Amino acid sequence: MRGRSRARRGRCPRCGTPSRRVHGRYLRRLADAALGGCAVVIELVVRRFKCVSGTCPVVTFVEQVERLTRPHARRTPLLQRILAQIAVALAARPAARLARRLGVPVAKDTLLRLVRALPEQPAGGMRVVGVVRWQPVTLDLAEHLYEHAQARGAALPIDRLLRYRNGLPVSSRRYDHLWKRIGERLPWVATHGISTHWLRHITLTWVGGDGSFTTGADLGVRTVHGFLSA
């Protein structure tokens, strides 16, 4: 899909001064949401304008099309939101497989960056309604996991929890080898394809179905990902 902006002038993002002085043009390629399972790429001809303000430090700037482009972005805002929602719901690897089937191939690390870039959701107050609900992680277990993380060098909430004694995080290859050995002893583990990412997905679904979207997404991605991510 090809297109260009019909605006007669651009506005400097630094000082806000409108300008009609075109410095040059070039082609931007933006990935958009898939159509009928086929990848969609928008080839957009954009212009680089000269800032006419004498006090602005910006010499030239590139025009941005509202709801379509962002500075240095290679995806449209629509596709960016879709990928972020898939990553929150399924975690990185399953989300990458689903996105590939939908016609939007993307790496799992890219999906993790999208999740980490999401704004923090306010936790809000807790209200007791007299109903006992089971949670996937008890307070005692969460406290011990937190102490383990602090003792072995995990400083940020998104840092990997399980670490060796020397402080290095357990790699994904080590996780895969561990579940392979468990599957050799317990055939049902191999039959159902149980892995760390499988447990993450089940936990996310459990928490998300038991509470609100904020509880499921925020606790699942930030806490469970930090605990179980390889």
Side-chain angles (χ1 to χ4, degrees):
M1 185 181 300
R2 297 180 180 179
R4 64 181 179 85
S5 174
R6 301 180 61 181
R8 296 184 178 181
R9 58 186 179 180
R11 189 174 296 275
C12 177
R14 183 68 177 270
C15 65
T17 303
S19 174
R20 293 187 177 182
R21 297 181 59 183
V22 179
H23 181 267
R25 294 176 174 82
Y26 69 94
L27 186 66
R28 287 188 65 175
R29 294 174 58 87
L30 299 168
D32 197 13
L35 180 62
C38 299
V40 175
V41 177
I42 300 176
E43 294 185 347
L44 184 66
V45 178
V46 295
R47 295 166 292 182
R48 181 178 293 275
F49 290 90
K50 291 184 178 180
C51 184
V52 296
S53 175
T55 59
C56 182
V58 175
V59 179
T60 63
F61 61 91
V62 178
E63 65 176 339
Q64 302 296 335
V65 181
E66 186 179 0
R67 295 184 297 179
L68 184 62
T69 64
R70 292 178 181 176
H72 312 293
R74 297 184 179 181
R75 301 181 185 88
T76 61
L78 173 61
L79 179 58
Q80 200 88 342
R81 290 194 300 269
I82 292 175
L83 293 177
Q85 292 173 359
I86 294 176
V88 168
L90 299 180
R93 289 188 180 179
R97 291 195 293 267
L98 176 59
R100 189 179 301 110
R101 292 190 177 185
L102 294 177
V104 189
V106 62
K108 64 180 182 66
D109 293 334
T110 301
L111 295 174
L112 288 176
R113 285 194 295 269
L114 293 178
V115 173
R116 291 169 180 171
L118 293 175
E120 293 283 349
Q121 298 290 338
M126 181 177 296
R127 183 169 60 94
V128 179
V129 296
V131 178
V132 178
R133 296 182 181 272
W134 290 98
Q135 298 297 332
V137 179
T138 65
L139 294 178
D140 291 339
L141 176 58
E143 182 179 355
H144 287 302
L145 291 174
Y146 179 77
E147 293 176 354
H148 170 85
Q150 294 294 316
R152 299 202 175 184
L156 301 176
I158 59 176
D159 288 343
R160 300 174 184 175
L161 170 72
L162 300 181
R163 294 169 176 262
Y164 298 106
R165 292 184 181 274
N166 59 5
L168 294 178
V170 178
S171 64
S172 58
R173 181 176 299 179
R174 179 62 178 173
Y175 276 119
D176 294 339
H177 180 66
L178 176 62
W179 285 106
K180 182 178 179 181
R181 293 180 59 187
I182 295 176
E184 293 175 353
R185 298 286 183 175
L186 302 174
W188 59 270
V189 172
T191 301
H192 294 283
I194 296 177
S195 64
T196 302
H197 297 282
W198 184 89
L199 292 176
R200 282 175 54 195
H201 173 67
I202 294 300
T203 306
L204 286 169
T205 305
W206 190 354
V207 178
D210 191 60
S212 63
F213 174 79
T214 301
T215 303
D218 189 65
L219 175 63
V221 172
R222 303 192 184 282
T223 303
V224 178
H225 167 67
F227 285 173
L228 300 179
S229 177

